[in-house]
Each structure stands twice: as structure tokens, then as C-alpha cells.
Amino acid sequence: MATILCPHCGGRTDASNRHCSRCGVTLYEDQQNAEPPAQESASPGQPIGAAANEAEAEPSAIASPSAQGALDAGQVGAAAVEPIDGDAEKLPPAPKPAVLFPDERMSSEVTALLEPVQVSGAGFGSDAAIHVLPLPPSDINHLRALRTIMATEPMIASSLPVRAPRPYSYRTAWVTVLLLLALLLAFTRPSQPLASPPHRWPGVQAAYEQIQQIPPGSRMIVLWAYDASSAGEMDLVALPVVTHLVERSITLDVISLLPGGPAVGRRLLARANGLPPSLDSAALAAALPAGGVFLAGGASVLPLVGQDRPNALNKPAARLGAEATYQLALVFAAQADDVQEWLEQVQPFDGLPVVAVTGAGADPLLRPYLDSGQLSGLVSGFDGASAYQELRAHPLSDSEAELLLLHTRAQNWGALALVTVLILGSLAGFMARGQNE
Amino acid sequence: MSTRLATLMRYATTGVFVFFLVIIALDRTGFIPALRTLVTPIYEIALLLGAVAVVLGAVSVAWSHLHRVQAGAAGWGYSLILLVTLVIVFAAGLLDVRGAASPLLEWFFDSIIAPGQATLFALLVFFMTAAAFHLARIGRRGGAWLLAGMVVTLLAQTPALQSWLPVGYASFAGWLVDGPVMAALRGVLVAAALGAVVVIVRMALGRS
């Protein structure tokens, strides 16, 4: 008997069968016009039990297992298959299975797409014949829908669907507008003295006294731990302190763990001296003899600064001066981490008192160090710089004083704008919750 | 690499790590002053490694962007600008005997790098304010605490309000930050540090 290869599972089945004897997939789309696929030469073999039916004459009758195509000798399991004996005439006629999806292509990716029928019996190799029983209509529809989903190939869209642009939301834009308005008010209103002096936080007085005690002409080691990104705040905070140092003719040996740190220090020193920010200036070179040293390696090389400072600065000890002239260490940092690292990695070795000049955000983290005595002075934020400036006998130049006042005023407006944003944010949350309810 | 060699290298790495750890820890205690002569070169090696890492990083950036330009990848124009800028600045420092103190490098920093960094950093305040607007709300979980803490601290930090606030308000805000807030923060910092130590030890022992 002629056998065919199932396009789904590749198994051989009788050419007259409408369904594959292995996987049960429908082989012929149309009952009447179906052309059997490529047939191969008939191979002797034993018939096997399957849910296969006669295709032409008795589509509803279950083919006798003995009349079905047999497995070839080379097919897997062929040797184990026993011929099934049975009398087809005794079997009740099975209902004719409908052609469910005549236009559907068989997909090789989906396994075991059976017709929605219920098969009773022992299956292949059994002596009993297999009866094909119809399923209830509800189950049939469900299984047909499932088969449709599994049989269709996924469609790849050539382009993603274009979503309609959302209308611009003004909910968060007003936050930016409010901040800009606050800054505009701060910088455009005529400058006036502050109505009240800034709060003198603890540490400012101590920092001033520490620097005031240093003999004029001494050397001081400085860690410059901020770069141009935070120079907008830190330059103004550090300016009164640096100007104080310049007035006392104190020489600074600047080291930095940031590549841009020495350059920022150079600029601020030039600004404090009223000079152009170029190291060609003799006065600036005198105030900054080491020129600023960048130490690669981060905080891990700080212990070297405490243990072997000339080697760390790559300068001969004679040029730097004896260790005794270093009476104070100054740390200019935008963050508290840099000050903490100096206190932990350097101060235990050299024992120098440390004064920190930091941004306002670092103040809470460094205040415990001030209380414990590890820090000898702390100047933080614009108000700290203003308080330090008030302690100095010599005021800043008019332009610098005006700039410091301007930024302090901007801080006032900015803080009030931020508080307004926070309060309005809570109100917006209440309103949104009320609308949702 | 054979298993035996890999095991040997792992033990060697662990041994070197433990050796340096013990030496530096003993030196920090001060019990053996003679260790200072051994520890100082270790820090110098770290300094050299840091410098090499900086150079290696610059070379790596240049190499990757050069490949992007050669391959015509998306945004290759920006990579070309980066490479040209790198060559110009490098040449400016190399050709001048003053090195990093050359006027051209100083101009680069004063006119381009410093304003650019300051501009980018200044945008941070708008993002932080928008985030505070969304997060610090009474209705949100934990938002009430955030809102209260931020308002208390901001009012204490505003110079213009010092004369309007009650006497002792700034001290109260200072106590709040120095006491409960720092206690919580230090707990987090200690836990993070302990976690880092555990990770380092596990990496050294090859159990990462």
C-alpha cells in the first residue's frame, strides 16, 4: 500500500488516510479535491492502530487497523509494533469529522494539532480499536480557537504603531518656572543689605581663630577637593578664607585628588589676589609655589600625604620646607567624604589641626567631627562665608562683597521657592486623591 | 588555563591581599614603627597604579571612539569631535614646557571646561526640585516625614528667616540633624561598610 510522509511530523502513513497515523494532523484540506501528497513506494509492514479514517468511501468509518498503512522496517518503533487484529465491521461508525480550517496551512512549529475529537482506546500497539468520539460543541469551539492561535504564524510589524502625542503636561513645568522666577527676583532686585545677619553656626569663629593664630609667612597644606562643577558655590564660600590667607601672606601647598582641582585653586587664588588667573604671574606663583599637585589614585594615596609628604608632592623636602612650618591643614571640599577621608587617612599621621570649608550640604555630616574635636573649625555654606567675612578686619572688595550678598539673597529666594514647591506638592496630592475618590 | 594553575593563582592573590592587609593594619596601629619603611612604598605603588589607570582610561576612550569613527557608527561625528579635542589639548600641554600650566590649557579650562561643568551641575537643582515635588507629599508613603524634615531644615538654613523664626529654632534643627538623623545615617553607613568588607573578603577568597 502506498505510504506518504506527513508534512507535520514526518511520519509515514497510508496514502488513503485523511489524518496522519502518528500525530493525527489533517493531511488533506478538501475532502473532494484533495490530492494526496507525494507518495512513496509501498513498504511492507504491519498495520498499526491510529485515529485515522478512510478518506474516500467511508470517511466516518474507522479504518480497520489491519487495513491501515504499516510502519516501515526502518521507522522508529517498527520492530516493536505488533499487528492489531480487529474486525472493523464490528466497530460503530464514527462521525465524519468536518474540515475545520480548509485554508489553514499546517505549521511545522506547532506540535500535535489534532482535530478536536476525543479518542478513546488504548492507543497504538493495543489490541483494541480506537473509537473516535465527538466532543461537546462548547469544547470544540474552544479547541478550535486554541488551534487557530497556535497554527497561525506571528506577524512581524514592519513598523511600530504611531501613538498620538500626549498633550503637554504643565504639572511639573511650573516647578521649573517657580524656581526661575525666584532666581530672577534675587538677581534683578536692587541689592540691599540683608535684613538680618546670617546665623553664625558653630565652627566659624573657631576656624577664624585657627587661621589668625598662624604666623604670617607660614606654609599651609591644602586639599582642594572640589572642581569647576561645584565652584559656583564653593568659590564664594572659600573666598573669604582664601582672602584671609592671602592677607597673612601664607603660602599654600595645594594637592587635589581631582584633575581639575589645582586649576580651580589657581583661579580662586588669583581672584583673591586681584590677579588674572594665570600662573605666569609672579605674585600668584609666590602664593602657590607648588603650583598645585594632582594625585591619581583617589583616597588610597592620602596616607602617603601624611607619611611622606615631599614624596607625595613630588617636591624636594628643602623646597617644601620643614614639617614644623605646617601648622594647619585646610580642606576645601564640596562633600563631606573628602573631609572624612583626610581626617581618617592623613591626620592620624601628621597630627595637624584641620579646618574644613565645605558646602552647606556637608555641614550636618561634619558637625559631629567638630563636636568631637577632630575638626578645629568648620565654615559651610553662604551663611558660613558671610559670618566668616564679618569676623575679618579687612572687608572684601566691593564687587566680591556684592557677589556674596547676591548669592545669599538668591539662597533666600531659592529656599522659599523650594518650600513653596513642597507645600504645593502635598496640596496637589490631596486634590488628585479627592478626584480619584 | 588549567585548574591547578587557576587554583594556584587564586591562592597567591589571596595571600598577597592578606599580606598587605595585615601589614597596613599593623602600621596603622603604630605598634611596629619599623613597618613604615615597608608601607610607604606600597602607597607609592598605589599612586603609580592610579596614574597608569588615568592614562589607560584616556587611551581606552580614544581607542573606542576611533573605532566608532572608522565604522561610521551612529553619532560618529561626536566621537570625531572628542578625538580632535583630545589631540589638541594633549598637544597644547605637551608642546609647552610649562605643561599643565601653559596659557592655552589654562584658557581651555577657564573658558570651556569650567563653565560647562558648572552649567551641567546647575541643572541638578531643577531635577531635584521636581523629584521633591513628587516624593515629599503627605499622601505618599514616608512622604510626610520627608516633607517635615525638608521644611524644618530649609527654614533653618534660610538666612532671611533667622529674625522671624523663634529663638532656639536653629538649635532645634541642629539637634534634629545631629541626633536622630545622624544616628540613622550612621547606621546605614556602618551597614554599607560592613557589606563592602564582606564582599571584598569573598572576592579575595574567590567565593564571589
Side-chain angles (χ1 to χ4, degrees), chain B residues 70-196:
Chain B
Q70 289 176 342
W76 68 270
Y78 300 109
S79 297
L80 182 63
I81 293 173
L82 184 145
L83 289 172
V84 170
T85 307
L86 184 69
V87 170
I88 291 175
V89 174
F90 182 73
L94 201 62
L95 296 177
D96 196 315
V97 294
R98 290 165 290 190
S102 64
L104 184 57
L105 274 187
E106 290 180 355
W107 179 86
F108 269 122
F109 183 84
D110 295 337
S111 305
I112 300 176
I113 297 174
Q117 280 186 330
T119 302
L120 287 175
F121 197 72
L123 296 175
L124 192 63
V125 67
F126 297 100
F127 294 109
M128 291 176 63
T129 307
F133 170 74
H134 285 290
L135 295 177
R137 294 185 178 181
I138 296 178
R140 291 180 66 96
R141 194 172 184 177
W145 293 102
L146 273 176
L147 179 64
M150 292 173 77
V151 170
V152 167
T153 307
L154 276 173
L155 293 180
Q157 292 279 346
T158 305
L161 299 180
Q162 298 304 316
S163 60
W164 292 5
L165 293 172
V167 176
Y169 180 86
S171 301
F172 166 73
W175 169 84
L176 196 66
V177 173
D178 294 342
V181 173
M182 287 308 299
L185 183 61
R186 287 185 172 182
V188 173
L189 291 176
V190 169
L194 289 176

Side-chain angles (χ1 to χ4, degrees), chain A residues 236-300:
Chain A
L236 286 177
V237 176
L239 185 61
V241 179
V242 172
T243 309
H244 191 193
L245 294 172
V246 170
E247 287 172 357
R248 300 187 61 79
S249 304
I250 294 175
T251 305
L252 304 180
D253 290 329
V254 174
I255 59 174
S256 179
L257 303 180
L258 300 171
V264 172
R266 165 184 55 80
R267 287 172 10 127
L268 187 61
L269 271 173
R271 187 171 163 185
N273 283 278
L275 299 170
S278 173
L279 283 175
D280 283 343
S281 168
L284 188 59
L288 196 65
V293 176
F294 162 60
L295 296 178
S300 60

Side-chain angles (χ1 to χ4, degrees), chain A residues 159-331:
Chain A
S159 62
L160 295 175
V162 178
R163 293 191 299 180
R166 292 189 302 176
Y168 183 74
S169 172
Y170 291 91
R171 283 191 173 181
T172 53
W174 67 267
V175 173
T176 305
V177 171
L178 186 63
L179 280 178
L180 289 176
L181 184 63
L183 294 176
L184 195 65
L185 287 173
F187 284 95
T188 54
R189 289 189 61 185
S191 298
Q192 296 173 357
L194 294 174
S196 60
H199 182 78
R200 187 169 294 180
W201 296 97
V204 176
Q205 181 76 32
Y208 178 81
E209 291 173 357
Q210 281 286 338
I211 294 176
Q212 192 67 17
Q213 290 172 2
I214 298 176
S218 303
R219 300 182 80 100
M220 182 182 294
I221 186 77
V222 176
L223 175 66
W224 215 283
Y226 72 89
D227 57 6
S229 61
S230 48
E233 177 195 11
M234 287 305 302
D235 274 358
L236 286 177
V237 176
L239 185 61
V241 179
V242 172
T243 309
H244 191 193
L245 294 172
V246 170
E247 287 172 357
R248 300 187 61 79
S249 304
I250 294 175
T251 305
L252 304 180
D253 290 329
V254 174
I255 59 174
S256 179
L257 303 180
L258 300 171
V264 172
R266 165 184 55 80
R267 287 172 10 127
L268 187 61
L269 271 173
R271 187 171 163 185
N273 283 278
L275 299 170
S278 173
L279 283 175
D280 283 343
S281 168
L284 188 59
L288 196 65
V293 176
F294 162 60
L295 296 178
S300 60
V301 301
L302 279 181
L304 192 63
V305 177
Q307 295 178 1
D308 189 2
R309 189 162 290 133
N311 199 6
L313 300 183
N314 198 24
K315 301 292 180 184
R319 185 174 173 183
L320 285 177
E323 288 290 334
T325 59
Y326 285 135
Q327 297 184 8
L328 185 68
L330 201 57
V331 179

Side-chain angles (χ1 to χ4, degrees), chain A residues 22 25 46 69 78 90 95 145 147 190 197 258 262 296 303 314 335 369 391:
Chain A
R22 288 185 73 185
V25 69
Q46 299 296 327
K90 297 180 180 178
R147 179 180 172 179
L258 300 171
N314 198 24
Q335 298 177 356
Y369 291 91
L391 295 172

